[in-house]
Amino acid sequence: GEDVEQSLFLSVREGDSSVINCTYTDSSSTYLYWYKQEPGAGLQLLTYIFSNMDMKQDQRLTVLLNKKDKHLSLRIADTQTGDSAIYFCADLPHSGNTPLVFGKGTRLSVIA
Amino acid sequence: SQTIHQWPATLVQPVGSPLSLECTVEGTSNPNLYWYRQAAGRGLQLLFYSVGIGQISSEVPQNLSASRPQDRQFILSSKKLLLSDSGFYLCAWRASGEQFFGPGTRLTVL
């Protein structure tokens, strides 16, 4: 079945850029998502990209999609301590009612 | 705007007791609804999803069940809780491409 892989940990210094990477296996994915989870909270939808796009920018967030390599990345510019959280990558394998497939999450630690 | 509610926020239950967690969505109609469980602050496990009233798909065989009695209401139940049912339960809804999560219920089974 469909699989989504992420590295488990990332540590960056405050003010640097963070890049969180994700790979997926289904070539027919329609949407790809990034979620943020802070301790004790639900998942917050940060951004998502349609599979016919290769880039999306929203303030400090930049999503890059390489559909040929099935690689998705999330870049956070000027990383702040408030960005410390777990970031989940997810994809929607087909359109319609198919559930999203989530990666296991990358824990981002921002060092002041 | 759309809002998703879950209650209770936290719950401590003894082994063998019943469970009922409720999720309601406002501001949308005919959403897909989902129950996830998250153990130890890590990965998400999809438990159930529903594409309409009375339609439930189960992803993992276990002692939990789900029901959707109304369009925007999704209930997770158990007749007898196990220690392994402890975790963070998240409800989510999706309409078109966006999926949103509720605030979650922290369940501890003792």
Side-chain angles (χ1 to χ4, degrees):
Chain A
E2 167 67 352
D3 195 22
V4 175
E5 296 283 343
Q6 304 177 238
S7 55
L8 294 183
F9 300 98
L10 178 66
S11 182
V12 299
R13 293 199 176 276
E14 190 175 19
D16 289 350
S17 292
S18 308
V19 179
I20 304 172
N21 294 300
C22 170
T23 58
Y24 58 99
T25 58
D26 192 335
S27 58
S28 64
S29 293
T30 52
Y31 290 94
L32 295 118
Y33 306 79
W34 284 106
Y35 287 86
K36 176 183 180 183
Q37 186 181 32
E38 299 186 46
L43 274 68
Q44 174 195 354
L45 177 62
L46 282 179
T47 186
Y48 65 101
I49 188 169
F50 191 54
S51 59
N52 68 353
M53 299 169 64
D54 52 19
M55 187 181 95
K56 182 177 181 181
Q57 188 156 4
D58 183 2
Q59 299 182 334
R60 292 191 297 122
L61 304 179
T62 302
V63 177
L64 295 178
L65 175 61
N66 182 326
K67 202 171 177 184
K68 172 177 168 290
D69 295 337
K70 302 190 188 70
H71 182 267
L72 183 74
S73 67
L74 174 69
R75 178 177 180 269
I76 306 172
D78 186 25
T79 311
Q80 303 298 307
T81 54
D83 295 322
S84 294
I86 299 176
Y87 290 80
F88 290 91
C89 171
D91 86 319
L92 180 59
H94 316 284
S95 59
N97 297 319
T98 312
L100 268 62
V101 179
F102 283 84
K104 289 183 169 52
T106 299
R107 186 180 295 275
L108 174 64
S109 298
V110 182
I111 305 162
Chain B
S1 64
Q2 302 90 354
T3 307
I4 181 167
H5 302 280
Q6 285 188 248
W7 64 91
T10 59
L11 192 58
V12 180
Q13 292 283 98
V15 169
S17 64
L19 173 74
S20 181
L21 301 181
E22 190 163 343
C23 169
T24 59
V25 181
E26 295 176 1
T28 187
S29 59
N30 197 31
N32 288 356
L33 296 173
Y34 305 87
W35 277 112
Y36 294 85
R37 179 169 59 200
Q38 188 178 33
R42 290 304 291 192
L44 296 171
Q45 179 186 30
L46 177 63
L47 302 175
F48 301 96
Y49 70 98
S50 172
V51 301
I53 295 173
Q55 300 178 62
I56 307 294
S57 296
S58 174
E59 292 293 301
V60 183
Q62 56 209 329
N63 69 320
L64 299 173
S65 62
S67 63
R68 185 171 178 175
Q70 300 179 50
D71 181 44
R72 289 171 286 179
Q73 183 185 30
F74 205 21
I75 298 172
L76 182 70
S77 303
S78 174
K79 291 181 180 177
K80 287 187 177 182
L81 283 168
L82 306 173
L83 286 174
S84 57
D85 291 324
S86 292
F88 192 43
Y89 287 81
L90 290 159
C91 180
W93 70 270
R94 191 173 97 222
S96 66
E98 296 176 303
Q99 179 162 319
F100 298 96
F101 283 80
T105 295
R106 174 80 55 194
L107 172 66
T108 303
V109 182
L110 301 175

